Amino acid sequence: MKRLYPLLGNRSVLWLLFWVNVLGTAYGYYWYKWQLIDTPPRFLLFVPDSPTASLFFVFVLGAFLMGRNWPLMEALAIVSLVKYGLWAVVMNLMVFFVSGQLDWIGLMLMASHFAMAVEGVLYAPFYRIKAWHLIVAAVVVLHNEIIDYVFGMMPRYHTLDLYMDQIGYFTFWLSIFSIAIGYYFGLRPERFSLSLKR
């Protein structure tokens, strides 16, 4: 770990991750394009879950590169990256168990989304989150839960249509878990904390 964190704080690594996340975010919004076409305008902000999570992290990395912290974005990033990163991995595993097959796109989605969750946690020692930042992040992800599973705006996995109630229940507890991760790694007083070299 002593060797890892100087590398994570290196400006070249930060720039690399910045552009990887910019491209991943752009592809994520493109992936949602057909669902967005059918989405009522009032729900448009709440549909593309994963790319919005990675967009939060783009803002975090951009602040790091400017020698600053953006604690609200840090809280939104860690909670949403863990939630939607792990959610996509589990959904694609469910597709495999239900259908018996998983194509290369599904495997790519699993790998990229798991990496989202990992990067959100790995950079947590550099965050400067306060309690109110985490509360805002918690409200955002739980509100999105309502939009997804009460108003039917969840990401479309037609193979899993019969399991929406169970998925909604699982997703609620995944949100609670993600908020707890945000607290454990980003807020608790005795957490591991580092400063980026300016």
Side-chain angles (χ1 to χ4, degrees):
M1 295 301 286
K2 289 181 180 179
R3 294 179 181 178
L4 177 63
Y5 277 104
L7 180 64
L8 291 177
N10 181 278
R11 288 186 66 82
S12 296
V13 173
L14 289 171
W15 274 115
L16 175 63
L17 280 176
F18 177 85
W19 287 114
V20 167
N21 278 274
V22 166
L23 293 173
T25 299
Y27 175 77
Y29 284 115
Y30 173 80
W31 190 85
Y32 274 95
K33 67 176 181 177
W34 300 115
Q35 184 170 350
L36 290 171
I37 289 170
D38 298 336
T39 299
R42 67 185 181 277
F43 293 132
L44 284 173
L45 285 176
F46 307 104
V47 168
D49 299 328
S50 296
T52 301
S54 60
L55 181 62
F56 293 147
F57 196 60
V58 167
F59 292 140
V60 170
L61 292 170
F64 286 168
L65 287 163
M66 292 187 291
R68 300 181 180 184
N69 282 88
W70 194 347
L72 180 57
M73 285 298 140
E74 292 163 4
L76 288 165
I78 189 171
V79 172
S80 58
L81 286 171
V82 170
K83 175 183 175 180
Y84 297 116
L86 297 181
W87 187 90
V89 171
V90 173
M91 290 308 106
N92 280 280
L93 285 173
M94 282 186 65
V95 167
F96 175 72
F97 288 127
V98 170
S99 69
Q101 55 187 356
L102 189 65
D103 59 17
W104 70 270
I105 294 177
L107 292 171
M108 180 271 291
L109 287 171
M110 288 177 66
S112 61
H113 282 76
F114 184 73
M116 284 170 49
V118 169
E119 70 181 359
V121 172
L122 274 180
Y123 274 90
F126 300 113
Y127 301 160
R128 297 296 178 262
I129 298 170
K130 292 183 171 64
W132 76 266
H133 301 129
L134 188 62
I135 290 169
V136 170
V139 170
V140 167
V141 295
L142 292 171
H143 175 262
N144 201 75
E145 207 89 17
I146 301 299
I147 299 299
D148 280 355
Y149 295 98
V150 173
F151 294 95
M153 296 294 120
M154 73 287 286
R156 293 176 182 168
Y157 281 82
H158 295 299
T159 309
L160 305 177
D161 283 349
L162 294 176
Y163 305 97
M164 279 301 119
D165 290 343
Q166 293 88 340
I167 291 171
Y169 182 76
F170 161 75
T171 306
F172 169 77
W173 285 108
L174 182 58
S175 293
I176 300 301
F177 172 76
S178 302
I179 294 163
I181 290 292
Y183 172 79
Y184 184 83
F185 287 101
L187 182 61
R188 68 190 173 96
E190 66 275 20
R191 73 188 183 281
F192 177 45
S193 183
L194 290 170
S195 294
L196 283 167
K197 291 182 179 178
R198 304 307 185 193

